[in-house]
Amino acid sequence: MQVQYTAGKVVVAFIHPGQVSAYFMSSLVRMLLADQNGPRRIVGVLQEWSSANVAAARNSLTRQFLDARAAEWLLWIDSDMEWDEHALGQLLESADREHAPIVGGLCFGMSQGRLFPTIYQLAETPEGVRTVRAPDYPRDQLVSVAATGGAFLMIHRDVIQAIAAKEFNPTFTWFQETEAHGQPVGEDLTFCLRALACGYPIHVDTRIKVGHHKSHLLTEDLFDAQGVS
């Protein structure tokens, strides 16, 4: 039996190893206070401890959202991110049940000492079609992508139900670490590829600038300062 949800309402979900970044906690508190003193769109917060098998924890919380939370949107936030309290409102401005049912904020990772945006497109390679990192991105707009990370990701309930109905994997319903052309594919990219297979578009709103707390905070300013290789 499907839960009847309230349009425009959001559940926030995060997984963690028993602790979270101070940047994350400060951002979460600011967002909750701003929302509760304003539009009151957030109707719940889900969290679960996770070891290296993050896919299992993500799937557990996704199931809880689907079965017991009467909200339209699920917002995943990694526990080492930093964001502005207005980011939720910006996500909801861009998100749309039909045209933009999956919208991420602009996040960054680091590889070999260089930042990269977690924006992926499909490309033909000698091994076949695969996701590749975009070296750069359009500034301050809604960008169509093939995949993005789960670090700051808004997902409509319809997408979650459709992927479950497709039965890609009976154990790892939504998120799963997989393999393509001999290379590992993270659980969040697998989710995006499954959503695409179900016909749902994916976007990143590059207005929503999310910091990533590593040894220091990975931000758009640092990305711009290094130049595009």
Side-chain angles (χ1 to χ4, degrees), residues 68-141:
R69 298 290 175 154
E72 184 175 15
W73 298 95
L74 176 62
L75 173 58
W76 280 105
I77 308 177
D78 279 0
S79 61
D80 57 354
M81 311 309 287
E82 185 267 348
W83 66 97
D84 184 272
E85 61 265 30
H86 304 298
L88 174 63
Q90 291 176 308
L91 272 179
L92 287 170
E93 286 174 7
S94 294
D96 179 82
R97 179 181 183 182
E98 181 177 355
H99 301 292
I102 306 171
V103 181
L106 176 63
C107 304
F108 297 90
M110 179 175 279
S111 176
Q112 298 179 337
R114 291 186 62 82
L115 275 69
F116 63 88
T118 55
I119 292 174
Y120 300 83
Q121 301 291 3
L122 295 177
E124 284 279 0
T125 71
E127 296 80 20
V129 177
R130 60 179 297 182
T131 55
V132 296
R133 292 173 184 164
D136 204 355
Y137 53 90
R139 296 310 200 259
D140 300 324
Q141 59 185 275

Side-chain angles (χ1 to χ4, degrees), residues 3 7 12 15 36 61 71 87 95 119-120 145 158 179 196 210 225-226:
V3 173
V12 177
I15 57 177
Q36 291 305 299
L61 293 187
I119 292 174
Y120 300 83
V145 303
D158 287 353
E179 175 270 341
L196 286 179
V210 183
Q226 73 183 3

Side-chain angles (χ1 to χ4, degrees), residues 20-226:
V20 300
S21 163
Y23 290 100
F24 170 88
M25 183 54 63
S26 177
S27 299
L28 180 63
V29 169
R30 291 198 310 269
M31 182 176 70
L32 291 172
L33 288 174
D35 185 67
Q36 291 305 299
N37 288 324
R40 294 180 175 265
R41 296 159 297 200
I42 298 172
V43 294
V45 177
L46 298 172
Q47 60 85 23
E48 188 162 312
W49 183 89
S50 174
S51 62
N53 185 9
V54 296
R58 285 196 187 274
N59 285 321
S60 174
L61 293 187
T62 302
R63 174 58 66 188
Q64 291 179 48
F65 166 78
L66 197 61
D67 289 348
R69 298 290 175 154
E72 184 175 15
W73 298 95
L74 176 62
L75 173 58
W76 280 105
I77 308 177
D78 279 0
S79 61
D80 57 354
M81 311 309 287
E82 185 267 348
W83 66 97
D84 184 272
E85 61 265 30
H86 304 298
L88 174 63
Q90 291 176 308
L91 272 179
L92 287 170
E93 286 174 7
S94 294
D96 179 82
R97 179 181 183 182
E98 181 177 355
H99 301 292
I102 306 171
V103 181
L106 176 63
C107 304
F108 297 90
M110 179 175 279
S111 176
Q112 298 179 337
R114 291 186 62 82
L115 275 69
F116 63 88
T118 55
I119 292 174
Y120 300 83
Q121 301 291 3
L122 295 177
E124 284 279 0
T125 71
E127 296 80 20
V129 177
R130 60 179 297 182
T131 55
V132 296
R133 292 173 184 164
D136 204 355
Y137 53 90
R139 296 310 200 259
D140 300 324
Q141 59 185 275
L142 191 64
V143 179
S144 178
V145 303
T148 187
F152 202 83
L153 189 64
M154 180 88 82
I155 307 166
H156 195 275
R157 176 180 288 269
D158 287 353
V159 179
I160 295 170
Q161 291 172 332
I163 293 175
K166 197 76 171 178
E167 297 182 336
F168 289 95
N169 184 289
T171 303
F172 295 94
T173 306
W174 298 280
F175 297 90
Q176 181 182 6
E177 293 187 0
T178 55
E179 175 270 341
H181 310 300
Q183 297 297 319
V185 178
E187 87 291 342
D188 42 9
L189 297 194
T190 298
F191 172 86
C192 289
L193 294 175
R194 288 175 176 178
L196 286 179
C198 291
Y200 289 100
I202 302 167
H203 295 83
V204 169
D205 189 334
T206 62
R207 298 177 305 157
I208 304 169
K209 306 175 195 306
V210 183
H212 190 180
H213 183 198
K214 292 300 187 183
S215 58
H216 52 280
L217 200 63
L218 307 186
T219 65
E220 184 179 52
D221 288 342
L222 284 177
F223 175 77
D224 286 340
Q226 73 183 3

